[in-house]
Amino acid sequence: MKNRLLLLLILITTLTSTKLFSQVTFSGELDNINYNRPKEYTIGGISISGVQYLDQNVLRMISGLRVGDKITVPGEEISNAIKNLWKQGLFSDVSITATSIVDDQIFLNIYLEEKPRLSKFAFKGISKSDADNLRDEMKIVRGDVVNDNLLMKSNNTISSYYSKKGFYNVNVDIQQERDTAEINSLILTFVIDKNKKVRINKINVSGNEFLDETQVKMSFKETKQKGSFTTLSFLDTLFISTVKKAATFDYGEIVYNVGKYTMDNTNIRLFKSSKFIEDRWEEDKVRLIDKYNSLGFRDFKILNDTLYFTEDRQGLILDLDVSEGNRYYFRNITWVGNTKYTADELNSILKIKKGDVYNKKELEANLNFNLTGMDVSSLYMDDGYLFFRVNPMEVLVENDSIDIVIQIMEGNQANINKVKLYGNTKTNDFVAMREIRTRPGDLFSRSNIIRSQRELSSLGYFNPETIVPDVQQNPMDGTVDLIYTVEETSSDQLELSLGWGYGRLIGTIGVKFSNFALSNMFKKEAWRPVPVGDGQTLSFRFQTYGKQYINLSASFTEPWLGRKKPNAFSTTYYYSHYAPYNVTKTSDEYGKMDQHAVIFGLGRRLSWPDDFFTLYQSISLINYSLVNYNGFGNGMTDGHFFNYTYGITLARNSTDQPYYPRRGSDISLSVKLSPPYSLFSQKTAEDYASMNVSDRYKWVEYHKWDFRAAYYQKLIGDLVVMVRLRYGFLGSYNKDLGITPFERYYMGGDGLTGNYFNDGRELIGFRGYTSESMSPDLGATIYNKNTIELRYPLSLNPNATIFALLFLETGSSWANFKEFKPFDTYRSAGAGVRVFMPMFGLLGLDWGYGFDPIPGNSGASGSQFHFSINGSID
């Protein structure tokens, strides 16, 4: 019997291919096994020993041995059981022992020595934030078995984490230490040396002929080569080129010029690092293929892309080999299935003709969804054909020409059955529903749905990123239900500040309720904290630094006067008082200026030329009272002055949303006209020259023209280029009287209002120069300002919309039209950030560098920081 058990031991040991130990222990009476005659036994019992954490029943199941099974000794059953247990990777020693044999029953013991368990782990050589992130990614916890798989997986996770950050030479040393406080436990310490960040030093492109290397690299959104700021010499050329192209509305050329300047002259990686990430590189390769396909190269291929280290392993080189293939063109375009519109009508919308470069992406866009213009689907869907389908097919490719057949399935027209609004917890239904352009009973219109989405966003009450209309079809009756789901955001603003300006401490408190409900003023339950929901605007603002300066205003706006038409009525009251600081009323130097103003406004939407136009008219009644006031510098120190004007503004705003526009434009032309008092008098130039200055300008008269235009275009992803123009002119009716000292322009600095010169001056913000330093002492009567910005969002959360920007700016102001030189301007460049929070509005911080000195003011240009509120610097 002892010989039999010895054979069992030899058999088990021989069949194990890994480093394991198998032992069989027998009682003394077991002997005389016949090696040549294997004997069959029945397993009478299986015991487990040596384990502390694992379930014994599960281990028996894993081994494959069960009580009652018949096994052959010697045989494969025992060796297979050991292999099954070793596969788990949980043990450092596995052995199966026969404890006894009774008749034909054999009793086995499985001895297992567990691998050590993880008691705790730590990191050395990295920051706390990196350590926290790695803990989340590694997903190892106390009690895990410390085996080769865990160590290798941890090493790979750490290396992958840092490679995404550009650290390709990271070293990981995993130190193992016995935990004396716990049985069979280890403490792991991951000692990490990131070494220097490795960036893409160079991207080499070969095989390209039609596109140059710069154009190829511009198609990459995420993969950029390492760059450095080299020169500003091209700024003038870039700006002049941009202004010229803006005047001809050639925005595609503007985008290319900005991109080429960035790549060729500065090598700035706009908001993107030069680290290499495999997944994003794959996405960029698809973008390059799409770029070539859009240019007619439908057979374009990327033959090879190779990434390797530089010789010093401190950088990466990316080689890209491409094959452009032939360039293809559209030839014959045939329409099939169209009954509503003729082929000529459809071709006029498609805007593709024989001989045009083959661009499948443009074809799909002009058929289905063109963000910048009309498309065939919109033509049908705006006329109720909700079930319209279109399918373009390539039917013949011959040489460099492609024939297209466009199959149309028109379907039936669908009417709107129900229009529902969900999610407006504060805003009343009628406020949101009046902005929606789709009505029950109307024919289905995709354009009206898109426009409704824009109008809801423009209210400022809802998160523009989450307004997604749901179109629910009713095939049974051929109708459609439209559901607009919105998410309320706070639109009220609170201003509380203490600031230092003009040598003193100034306190400001202001509040703006943007969704006020005047109709609920006398309902106690509506004050939470104020009545809301009717879309009205109520604001108050108070600013002071004591009795010397007081500035207060109150305004109310009803956007739908009478609730039937979008006629916005507003009224504003304004009062200010200014007196010299630290001068008592009894002093001969004491003077003051008081201002009272009431403004009434009425705005309405227009339907012609299109419904993006608005017309705003106002009546402004402003009275000034001067007592020994020396602020004008022209001898006008005492008197009462009356500034009564009629204003009219024609504007068109097609931007897609108010806080971070990605496309569209915002254009306005404003005119303010006072009565031409002097034209009704018989006074001559000599009469005016002999008059006291206060009497001459008692009745303030002027005409004032302001033009503003801003254009937004998305470049790549959420990267947006913004081009903005501003021009202003202040003129007089009577050259003998001259131009009024009121209402003049002052350029430079942050453009913040609330200063202490209440003469109706208009502040024009300009970065890189100090406040009001770019205008004559008595103010300017004409100015221009041109701006280019590249914007990229850091957060699109409606509660904190944040974007960074780079800018180029040029402009100047002049005392009169004779001195006007539109190309002799001041220039600046810099960077900034904008933060929109509903409670505080739009806040900005910019750094600008003014390149041109101001004569007589040495510190006015150069490096300047600016803080702005609600776009005051724009």
Side-chain angles (χ1 to χ4, degrees):
M1 183 62 73
K2 289 182 179 179
N3 292 333
R4 291 180 183 178
L5 296 174
L6 179 60
L7 176 60
L8 179 59
L9 172 62
I10 294 172
L11 177 63
I12 294 173
T13 306
T14 303
L15 291 176
T16 55
S17 59
T18 57
K19 292 182 179 181
L20 51 91
F21 303 93
S22 303
Q23 300 177 1
V24 183
T25 305
F26 308 98
S27 55
E29 68 273 11
L30 302 177
D31 56 7
N32 298 324
I33 186 169
N34 190 334
Y35 300 103
N36 297 320
R37 292 180 134 187
K39 183 178 179 180
E40 189 176 75
Y41 292 91
T42 300
I43 300 177
I46 303 172
S47 59
I48 306 290
S49 62
V51 296
Q52 181 178 357
Y53 299 100
L54 302 175
D55 187 288
Q56 294 190 8
N57 291 326
V58 174
L59 293 174
R60 291 188 186 94
M61 186 182 303
I62 292 173
S63 72
L65 300 174
R66 292 180 296 177
V67 174
D69 285 355
K70 295 184 181 300
I71 62 173
T72 302
V73 180
E76 295 183 353
E77 290 88 345
I78 299 297
S79 62
N80 287 339
I82 294 177
K83 289 179 180 180
N84 291 339
L85 292 167
W86 267 103
K87 287 178 183 178
Q88 308 308 309
L90 303 174
F91 313 108
S92 57
D93 186 14
V94 179
S95 62
I96 300 180
T97 303
T99 57
S100 65
I101 296 177
V102 178
D103 296 330
D104 63 345
Q105 287 189 328
I106 187 168
F107 294 85
L108 303 176
N109 177 69
I110 302 176
Y111 173 77
L112 302 169
E113 183 177 321
E114 295 182 66
K115 285 188 175 181
R117 299 273 175 165
L118 179 65
S119 63
K120 54 187 175 182
F121 65 97
F123 299 93
K124 285 186 178 180
I126 61 175
S127 66
K128 183 180 182 300
S129 60
D130 278 354
D132 291 339
N133 292 336
L134 283 172
R135 290 179 192 276
D136 293 336
E137 293 200 15
M138 291 169 65
K139 294 181 173 60
I140 60 175
V141 296
R142 173 184 171 85
D144 284 351
V145 176
V146 182
N147 53 24
D148 291 341
N149 179 59
L150 181 142
L151 298 177
M152 182 176 64
K153 183 179 177 182
S154 299
N155 194 326
N156 292 340
T157 301
I158 294 171
S159 298
S160 175
Y161 173 80
Y162 281 106
S163 66
K164 292 178 181 178
K165 293 176 171 288
F167 297 94
Y168 288 90
N169 293 325
V170 61
N171 294 322
V172 182
D173 179 21
I174 305 177
Q175 298 178 354
Q176 304 182 35
E177 178 186 354
R178 287 283 178 182
D179 190 345
T180 57
E182 298 185 27
I183 300 174
N184 196 31
S185 296
L186 282 180
I187 300 172
L188 297 183
T189 302
F190 298 92
V191 183
I192 301 172
D193 184 2
K194 296 186 297 185
N195 292 306
K196 290 184 178 180
K197 185 173 288 189
V198 180
R199 300 188 182 277
I200 302 174
N201 281 8
K202 189 73 171 66
I203 299 177
N204 299 314
V205 184
S206 60
N208 57 306
E209 296 180 2
F210 185 80
L211 295 181
D212 59 34
E213 189 169 279
T214 296
Q215 292 170 311
V216 171
K217 293 176 183 178
M218 284 176 62
S219 68
F220 302 148
K221 176 183 176 182
E222 302 290 345
T223 310
K224 307 291 183 182
Q225 73 180 35
K226 183 179 179 181
S228 59
F229 191 82
T230 57
T231 180
L232 292 172
S233 60
F234 190 59
L235 286 178
D236 286 346
T237 304
L238 173 65
F239 190 83
I240 292 173
S241 170
T242 301
V243 172
K244 288 181 178 178
K245 297 302 179 182
T248 60
F249 300 97
D250 191 353
Y251 296 110
E253 190 67 20
I254 291 176
V255 172
Y256 175 73
N257 286 342
V258 173
K260 187 169 179 60
Y261 167 72
T262 299
M263 298 293 292
D264 292 349
N265 292 272
T266 66
N267 292 320
I268 297 175
R269 304 175 306 280
L270 291 174
F271 312 111
K272 293 291 181 184
S273 66
S274 57
K275 60 189 178 185
F276 180 84
I277 299 176
E278 181 69 29
D279 292 343
R280 294 181 181 178
W281 169 235
E282 293 299 323
E283 295 171 1
D284 278 339
K285 288 195 291 185
V286 173
R287 292 186 180 96
L288 179 60
I289 293 173
D290 290 343
K291 175 71 173 179
Y292 266 97
N293 289 166
S294 70
L295 297 171
F297 296 91
R298 66 192 292 271
D299 299 330
F300 174 83
K301 294 179 181 178
I302 295 178
L303 301 178
N304 191 31
D305 58 301
T306 306
L307 182 73
Y308 53 93
F309 282 101
T310 57
E311 292 183 1
D312 58 3
R313 292 188 63 85
Q314 299 304 308
L316 296 171
I317 297 177
L318 179 60
D319 290 341
L320 181 66
D321 186 21
V322 303
S323 173
E324 292 182 337
N326 295 325
R327 196 179 194 195
Y328 291 88
Y329 301 85
F330 287 103
R331 190 167 62 182
N332 298 317
I333 300 176
T334 305
W335 298 87
V336 177
N338 54 304
T339 60
K340 174 72 173 178
Y341 300 101
T342 66
D344 289 340
E345 290 173 321
L346 295 176
N347 283 329
S348 68
I349 301 298
L350 188 64
K351 295 184 179 67
I352 296 175
K353 59 184 183 297
K354 185 176 182 178
D356 285 352
V357 172
Y358 183 78
N359 183 345
K360 189 174 183 180
K361 197 170 184 179
E362 181 184 12
L363 175 65
E364 292 287 351
N366 290 350
L367 285 175
N368 291 299
F369 194 67
N370 190 340
L371 292 174
T372 60
M374 192 65 174
D375 57 74
V376 174
S377 291
S378 293
L379 181 67
Y380 275 92
M381 289 191 174
D382 288 349
D383 197 25
Y385 289 90
L386 171 63
F387 310 104
F388 167 84
R389 298 293 182 271
V390 59
N391 180 31
M393 298 177 291
E394 297 179 3
V395 294
L396 180 62
V397 179
E398 186 176 19
N399 298 323
D400 64 348
S401 300
I402 299 177
D403 290 344
I404 300 293
V405 170
I406 302 176
Q407 184 177 11
I408 286 179
M409 293 158 281
E410 294 179 336
N412 297 320
Q413 288 178 302
N415 289 89
I416 299 173
N417 180 37
K418 296 179 181 178
V419 179
K420 301 178 182 178
L421 178 71
Y422 294 134
N424 54 316
T425 57
K426 294 188 298 183
T427 304
N428 291 323
D429 286 348
F430 75 87
V431 174
M433 292 298 292
R434 67 193 182 191
E435 303 295 337
I436 293 176
R437 303 298 179 93
T438 53
R439 296 284 186 268
D442 289 351
L443 284 174
F444 175 85
S445 172
R446 188 174 72 178
S447 294
N448 284 345
I449 293 176
I450 296 172
R451 183 61 185 275
S452 299
Q453 184 177 1
R454 176 192 178 274
E455 296 302 325
L456 289 172
S457 299
S458 298
L459 285 175
Y461 310 148
F462 311 118
N463 180 359
E465 302 295 327
T466 59
I467 302 175
V468 181
D470 182 16
V471 179
Q472 297 184 350
Q473 300 178 13
N474 304 315
M476 296 297 294
D477 58 6
T479 63
V480 61
D481 294 336
L482 300 178
I483 299 176
Y484 296 89
T485 302
V486 297
E487 177 188 346
E488 293 268 11
T489 63
S490 176
S491 55
D492 298 332
Q493 298 177 15
L494 175 67
E495 181 182 3
L496 291 171
S497 66
L498 282 176
W500 183 264
Y502 291 84
R504 62 207 63 132
L505 191 66
I506 305 132
T508 303
I509 181 171
V511 63
K512 179 180 179 182
F513 303 108
S514 300
N515 195 2
F516 190 70
L518 185 64
S519 61
N520 295 331
M521 279 283 290
F522 302 103
K523 296 180 181 179
K524 183 178 179 181
E525 64 276 8
W527 288 84
R528 298 180 180 177
V530 295
V532 298
D534 284 357
Q536 299 161 342
T537 301
L538 179 67
S539 64
F540 301 95
R541 191 172 188 270
F542 177 76
Q543 188 176 58
T544 183
Y545 63 82
K547 295 181 179 180
Q548 287 78 18
Y549 175 71
I550 297 174
N551 185 320
L552 62 87
S553 63
S555 68
F556 174 79
T557 301
E558 167 55 73
W560 283 63
L561 186 63
R563 293 191 178 182
K564 293 183 178 181
K565 294 183 179 181
N567 296 326
F569 174 76
S570 63
T571 179
T572 302
Y573 172 74
Y574 177 88
Y575 168 75
S576 69
H577 166 80
Y578 173 74
Y581 186 62
N582 282 338
V583 178
T584 63
K585 291 184 177 181
T586 58
S587 173
D588 293 338
E589 297 180 0
Y590 177 80
K592 68 174 184 175
M593 178 180 182
D594 291 330
Q595 176 185 356
H596 295 268
V598 178
I599 302 172
F600 301 97
L602 182 65
R604 63 187 183 96
R605 300 175 189 174
L606 303 179
S607 57
W608 187 89
D610 62 38
D611 58 4
F612 289 107
F613 278 86
T614 59
L615 183 69
Y616 176 79
Q617 302 176 77
S618 65
I619 298 294
S620 176
L621 307 174
I622 305 175
N623 291 343
Y624 301 96
S625 177
L626 275 61
V627 177
N628 196 29
Y629 179 76
N630 296 311
F632 286 100
N634 61 355
M636 191 171 67
T637 59
D638 296 274
H640 294 277
F641 303 87
F642 306 97
N643 185 0
Y644 300 159
T645 59
Y646 165 76
I648 183 170
T649 299
L650 180 65
R652 185 182 189 274
N653 186 344
S654 62
T655 56
D656 57 344
Q657 58 172 279
Y659 306 135
Y660 187 75
R662 295 176 178 85
R663 62 180 61 88
S665 61
D666 187 1
I667 304 171
S668 67
L669 174 64
S670 300
V671 182
K672 286 176 67 175
L673 305 170
S674 71
Y677 305 107
S678 64
L679 298 183
F680 302 112
S681 70
Q682 302 298 320
K683 294 183 175 65
T684 64
E686 291 76 13
D687 294 331
Y688 286 118
S690 63
M691 290 176 64
N692 180 279
V693 178
S694 298
D695 294 332
R696 183 191 309 170
Y697 297 116
K698 179 176 183 177
W699 294 96
V700 180
E701 66 172 71
Y702 59 91
H703 54 92
K704 191 174 186 179
W705 304 74
D706 285 286
F707 174 76
R708 303 185 184 195
Y711 174 80
Y712 304 87
Q713 177 61 51
K714 183 169 68 171
L715 301 181
I716 302 173
D718 287 323
L719 180 64
V720 173
V721 62
M722 187 278 298
V723 179
R724 182 171 54 236
L725 310 174
R726 286 186 63 179
Y727 303 99
F729 174 71
L730 177 67
S732 65
Y733 301 111
N734 189 334
K735 66 178 182 179
D736 294 334
L737 175 63
I739 300 176
T740 177
F742 295 92
E743 298 286 338
R744 299 206 173 195
Y745 301 108
Y746 289 82
M747 176 178 282
D750 50 33
L752 285 172
T753 58
N755 61 55
Y756 321 109
F757 301 100
N758 305 310
D759 51 12
R761 65 180 60 188
E762 184 173 347
L763 303 182
I764 312 300
F766 198 100
R767 291 163 284 196
Y769 295 84
T770 57
S771 294
E772 306 180 20
S773 61
M774 300 170 63
S775 297
D777 291 340
L778 298 181
T781 64
I782 186 171
Y783 82 94
N784 70 4
K785 178 185 174 184
N786 310 291
T787 305
I788 305 174
E789 287 184 358
L790 281 174
R791 299 176 168 188
Y792 190 80
L794 306 178
S795 168
L796 292 174
N797 187 319
N799 293 317
T801 302
I802 306 172
F803 63 89
L805 60 88
L806 300 176
F807 71 86
L808 301 174
E809 209 153 60
T810 181
S812 190
S813 62
W814 297 268
N816 53 64
F817 190 78
K818 292 181 179 180
E819 299 178 5
F820 178 54
K821 298 178 181 179
F823 298 106
D824 184 12
T825 58
Y826 296 99
R827 301 163 300 166
S828 69
V833 65
R834 296 290 183 273
V835 179
F836 175 82
M837 293 184 289
M839 181 62 72
F840 301 103
L842 183 65
L843 307 178
L845 180 64
D846 294 82
W847 171 83
Y849 189 88
F851 297 107
D852 305 297
I854 302 291
N857 193 344
S858 59
S861 60
S863 178
Q864 306 284 342
F865 282 94
H866 307 281
F867 176 74
S868 59
I869 299 176
N870 291 326
S872 62
I873 206 166
D874 299 330

